[in-house]
Amino acid sequence: MKPAVVPLHPQRIPGRADRLRWIVPAGTLTGTGPLAEVPEPLATLLTDGTLTRIELEGEAVVTCLGADRTWAREGPRVRSALHAALGDPAGWIPATGGAPRDDDARLYDTARAVIAGQVGDFARSHGGRIELVGVRDGVVTVRLGGACHGCPASWFTLHQRLERRLRQRHPGLRAVRAAASPTTPASLFGRPRGPLGASS
């Protein structure tokens, strides 16, 4: 009996034409960050230069194309290799010893992609905007603008949409904070300088 094929959904990463995020079902793989080893035939694509990097990002596998490669040409090979590799979950070995700033850099890229995607689209559909201010020690800081600024529902947007989506893709997230503003009412987030959904 043939093993079930794990469904994959490719997703482009805004501003990174060389990368694709492959969404996989929850629980298929665990962990985040770069990998020391991946199963065959995915490992072959790293060896021959088709891919230069593979990372886990919550419920996704992020693949980075080698120089002079295109997704139109290499996409089917990468998809087939991923399908085969996902059948061997024990073969995905995470890299160890990553520096915290490397983790923050990955979180920054994830936050930027999430804000550029559905979460940002939701804010924009209501006349608002979410700006990524920075990431430090696992804490994402954003600034709300447009209709989101001063809106009581903005807490829901940040906590239930942005923070939840970020945590799915990057379990190492510690908190999402709204940048303090002289015109932000103190009652809007309860304690504006603390993590959303928690006391500081």
Side-chain angles (χ1 to χ4, degrees), residues 11-16 18-19 21 53 55-57 62 64 101-117 132 134-136 139-140 162 165-166 169-170:
Q11 181 184 74
R12 295 198 176 276
I13 298 177
R16 297 304 302 260
D18 62 331
R19 297 190 183 189
R21 177 181 292 112
R53 189 176 178 91
E55 289 191 13
L56 292 182
E57 193 180 88
V62 178
C64 183
R101 65 171 168 250
D102 293 337
D103 199 49
D104 281 348
R106 289 192 297 274
L107 179 54
Y108 184 92
D109 286 344
T110 302
R112 186 171 58 179
V114 167
I115 290 170
L132 179 59
V135 175
R136 183 171 181 178
V139 177
V140 174
L162 177 59
R165 187 66 59 89
L166 277 175
R169 294 187 179 177
H170 197 289

Side-chain angles (χ1 to χ4, degrees), residues 18-91:
D18 62 331
R19 297 190 183 189
L20 271 184
R21 177 181 292 112
W22 302 83
I23 309 301
V24 298
T28 304
L29 297 169
T30 58
T32 60
L35 295 154
E37 294 180 37
V38 291
E40 291 291 350
L42 202 54
T44 299
L45 299 184
L46 287 168
T47 303
D48 70 14
T50 300
L51 297 176
T52 60
R53 189 176 178 91
I54 301 172
E55 289 191 13
L56 292 182
E57 193 180 88
E59 296 173 3
V61 178
V62 178
T63 53
C64 183
L65 275 180
D68 302 321
R69 308 279 182 148
T70 66
W71 287 115
R73 187 176 66 213
E74 307 294 352
R77 285 183 68 214
V78 174
R79 181 190 286 272
S80 295
L82 276 168
H83 275 306
L86 289 169
D88 179 16

Side-chain angles (χ1 to χ4, degrees), residues 146-168:
C148 288
H149 181 70
C151 172
S154 59
W155 182 90
F156 180 86
T157 299
L158 287 179
H159 183 65
Q160 294 297 324
R161 291 181 182 271
L162 177 59
E163 186 171 354
R164 179 177 292 179
R165 187 66 59 89
L166 277 175
R167 206 171 293 284
Q168 288 172 343

